[in-house]
Amino acid sequence: MSSRSFVCVIDPLISLNPKKDSSIAMMESAQSRGWKVGVIEDGGLHWSTGSGVRAHVVWIAIDRASKPWYAEVGREEVALKDLDAVIMRKDPPFDAEFVTATWLLEQAEREGARVFNSPRAIRDHNEKFTIAQFEQFVVPTLVSRNAVQLRSFLDQHPDAIAKPLDGMGGTSIFRLKKGDQNIGVILETLTDYGRKTAMIQRYIPEIVDGDKRVLLINGEPVPYCLARLPKEGEHRGNLAAGGTGRAQPLSESDWHIARTLGPELKKRGLLLVGLDIIGQNLTEVNVTSPTCFREIMDQTGFPVADTFVQAVDHALQESR
């Protein structure tokens, strides 16, 4: 190819919001560098004997001032090993098809493709449960599908948050208080009557000051986070749940958590990570498609997308 290619494995383009979407921000940055930008939508990846992992790529030109925000400039089937950078940006749910996509991308890596984040690392780091590896930053937490254990946790911590291990955007997150008559049905719903594992954590009252998204790029913290503030009457700060985003400098404890986790997660093949921090407590480690680029860029001027694309460029140069 005449110029470098930057191709995202992504949800349907029509579903993306150009005012907020981080994937669009990074593709726009790559385009500004003269890179050829493309996308691989659902079902676009495939493997066959003799040909390896290939994909149907839609090449696009981005202009956020236009409607739609992109123009299709070509389509072709290519081997992933012939692309410069493949960026996994498909949102959860982390279902069988998501796992299959990581298998295909990992096979493409064996054939010479450069994929960010590492497909194996994405698969190995559940965004809720990875906090268990950094327990020094975590409030009392239980991961179980046993209703007796979950109720016992609530006896010890009578104000708690319960959530599924595979959710995103604040879906199915419940605040439980001891004595609530709905506890039984909530636990039945979360665990599917004991068939699915869930997480329960002591409630962190600092959520009123925001659920902070701290971005790590190539192991280094972005100096601003996005504090996602719950709307009135809500316990969830997620933007998808109606929260409001306020960009702010990292606190001393944010820096400490980010600098502790950053080098280790980088070694594991995670070029881009979104840490969720409430108060001084780590609550999630997001590795599938971390967001909040646009909000931080718009409110602070810090070039998050450019920093990410520079990190991809640096990784490609190192891999030569």
Side-chain angles (χ1 to χ4, degrees), residues 17-22 25 28 64 224-226 245-248 292-305:
N17 182 346
K19 293 182 179 179
K20 295 185 176 182
D21 193 86
S22 297
E28 195 173 32
R64 285 193 301 129
Y224 298 94
C225 66
L226 191 75
R246 182 185 66 204
Q248 61 191 40
C292 299
F293 279 36
R294 185 68 66 188
E295 292 87 351
I296 293 173
M297 291 163 60
D298 288 347
Q299 294 184 39
T300 71
F302 186 86
V304 183

Side-chain angles (χ1 to χ4, degrees), residues 7 21 78 102 110 112 149 157 173 196 204 213 221 259 268 275 290 302:
V7 177
D21 193 86
V78 299
T102 68
R110 297 187 189 101
Q149 293 174 347
H157 306 283
I173 295 179
K196 290 182 66 176
I204 306 171
R213 168 57 55 84
R259 284 175 167 157
R268 299 179 187 183
L275 305 179
F302 186 86

Side-chain angles (χ1 to χ4, degrees), residues 62-303:
I62 300 169
D63 181 358
R64 285 193 301 129
S66 299
K67 291 185 178 181
W69 55 267
Y70 68 94
E72 184 178 321
V73 296
R75 288 175 177 255
E76 65 176 321
E77 182 180 301
V78 299
L80 264 63
K81 66 180 181 181
D82 292 335
L83 300 171
D84 291 295
V86 179
I87 317 297
M88 179 51 157
R89 290 293 299 175
K90 182 167 170 47
D91 283 340
F94 199 85
D95 56 14
E97 279 304 305
F98 194 107
V99 173
T100 300
T102 68
W103 290 337
L104 286 162
L105 291 171
E106 189 173 8
Q107 176 58 30
E109 282 187 320
R110 297 187 189 101
E111 297 165 3
R114 283 124 320 186
V115 183
F116 310 95
N117 285 323
S118 155
R120 177 185 290 272
I122 290 175
R123 203 168 56 241
D124 285 351
H125 290 79
N126 176 271
E127 298 189 323
K128 306 293 190 294
F129 190 53
T130 295
I131 63 172
Q133 300 177 40
F134 307 100
E135 194 172 339
Q136 68 269 37
F137 301 120
V138 180
V139 297
T141 300
L142 169 69
V143 174
S144 175
R145 65 182 190 179
N146 183 292
V148 173
Q149 293 174 347
L150 295 168
R151 283 182 175 273
S152 177
F153 182 93
L154 199 56
D155 288 336
Q156 300 173 54
H157 306 283
D159 194 353
I161 294 291
K163 54 189 174 182
L165 293 179
D166 59 354
M168 65 165 287
T171 57
S172 301
I173 295 179
F174 298 91
R175 184 176 180 182
L176 304 180
K177 291 188 177 182
K178 187 177 178 180
D180 189 328
Q181 294 183 345
N182 290 314
I183 289 173
V185 70
I186 289 172
L187 294 181
E188 289 168 0
T189 300
L190 269 179
T191 67
D192 191 17
Y193 295 90
R195 288 187 286 266
K196 290 182 66 176
T197 301
M199 172 179 283
I200 188 168
Q201 294 180 309
R202 191 193 74 201
Y203 177 73
I204 306 171
E206 290 89 344
I207 184 62
V208 297
D209 298 319
D211 180 356
K212 295 174 286 186
R213 168 57 55 84
V214 176
L215 294 170
L216 300 175
I217 297 176
N218 200 28
E220 292 293 327
V222 169
Y224 298 94
C225 66
L226 191 75
R228 296 160 296 174
L229 305 165
K231 66 180 181 180
E232 187 175 354
E234 259 287 0
H235 60 266
R236 301 171 298 172
N238 308 77
L239 301 183
T244 301
R246 182 185 66 204
Q248 61 191 40
L250 299 191
S251 68
E252 185 177 342
S253 61
D254 295 338
W255 280 110
H256 178 52
I257 294 171
R259 284 175 167 157
T260 301
L261 272 63
E264 178 60 29
L265 296 174
K266 176 185 175 180
K267 283 193 300 185
R268 299 179 187 183
L270 294 167
L271 188 74
L272 174 63
V273 177
L275 305 179
D276 285 352
I277 299 173
I278 301 175
Q280 300 181 25
N281 305 285
L282 179 69
T283 60
E284 293 189 16
V285 179
N286 295 273
V287 301
T288 50
S289 55
T291 60
C292 299
F293 279 36
R294 185 68 66 188
E295 292 87 351
I296 293 173
M297 291 163 60
D298 288 347
Q299 294 184 39
T300 71
F302 186 86

